[in-house]
């Protein structure tokens, strides 16, 4: 009983090793990083585009104010001053000073906004180029990853065929339990008793449970849920 499932597990271990090799291949890891980078870049581009849109709207508003102030100046220059009283001239002078101050403020704000817009546009183009570069890098590494996987397909196919053959001689209940733990990424699943402890998580097994193990030949670890077996029964 133990011999068959351990033979099955030994074959499965080779399959697990290949699966890990594929999952941790540099090409796949790099491709995954590029996907995350592109997603991040796309969010940045959306944010930059929104900021630019807001700044342009603010720029247009300031420009309207600027044009309005220029019209006020033009209007004042066309007025006849010789017919005005001293008080009216003083009011016009104060108004002209205020208009000039407003124009200077608006011009300064427009200049600041122009710099901000230019910076955002520069960042937008930079991020866009980086995202395009990441996409190309992703495609390259995806191709390399698929080539690498292809080199492993034959070995994996042979192992799966051998597993299917050995599976026929394994107890169905034990195989079911094995596959359940395998699906939980628990490996190895069947482990020997080592110094009265689980060979997987190294948790010491109580005396009562050890007696149960001697009777039933296998025992589920209460801590990691792996199946413990007595080493002396490995080949029986």
């Amino acid at each position: 009983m133990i011999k068959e499932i351990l033979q099955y597990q030994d074959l499965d271990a080779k399959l697990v090793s290949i699966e890990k090799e594929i999952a941790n291949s540099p090409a796949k890891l790099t491709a995954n990083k590029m996907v995350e980078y592109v997603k991040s870049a796309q969010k940045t581009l959306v944010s930059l585009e929104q900021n630019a849109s807001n700044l342009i709207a603010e720029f247009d508003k300031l420009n309207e104010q600027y044009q309005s102030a220029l019209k006020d100046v033009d209007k004042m220059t066309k007025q006849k001053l010789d017919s005005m009283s001293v008080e009216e001239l003083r009011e016009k002078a104060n108004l002209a000073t205020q208009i000039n101050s407003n124009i200077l403020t608006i011009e300064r704000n427009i200049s600041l906004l122009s710099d901000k817009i230019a910076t955002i546009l520069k960042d937008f183009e930079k991020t866009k180029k980086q995202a395009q570069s990441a996409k190309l890098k992703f495609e390259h590494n995806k191709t390399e990853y698929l080539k690498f996987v292809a080199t492993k397909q034959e070995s994996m196919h042979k192992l799966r065929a051998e597993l299917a053959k050995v599976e026929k001689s394994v107890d169905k209940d034990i195989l079911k339990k094995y596959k359940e733990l395998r699906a939980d990424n628990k490996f190895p699943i069947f482990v020997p008793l080592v110094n009265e402890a689980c060979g997987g998580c190294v948790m010491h097994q109580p005396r009562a449970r050890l007696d149960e193990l001697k009777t039933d030949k296998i025992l589920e670890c209460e801590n990691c849920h792996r199946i413990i077996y007595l080493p002396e029964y490995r080949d029986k």
Side-chain angles (χ1 to χ4, degrees), residues 124-147:
F124 184 90
E125 288 303 316
K126 180 181 178 182
T127 304
K128 185 178 178 181
K129 287 180 180 178
Q130 289 174 339
Q132 290 172 340
S133 176
K135 285 181 180 178
L136 291 175
K137 197 170 183 179
F138 164 77
E139 291 298 334
H140 171 73
N141 282 277
K142 179 183 176 183
T143 300
E144 292 302 308
Y145 169 71
L146 292 176
K147 287 180 181 177

Side-chain angles (χ1 to χ4, degrees), residues 1 10 26-27 40 48 55 58 66 72 75 101 115 118 145 151 162 172 185 188 193 199 201-202 213 215 231:
M1 177 177 68
D10 288 343
S40 177
L48 288 171
L55 287 175
E58 190 175 347
Y66 182 74
D72 289 340
K75 184 178 179 181
S101 177
D115 290 342
Y145 169 71
T151 65
E162 290 182 60
K172 291 183 179 179
N185 295 318
L193 183 71
C201 66
V202 200
L213 175 59
T215 302

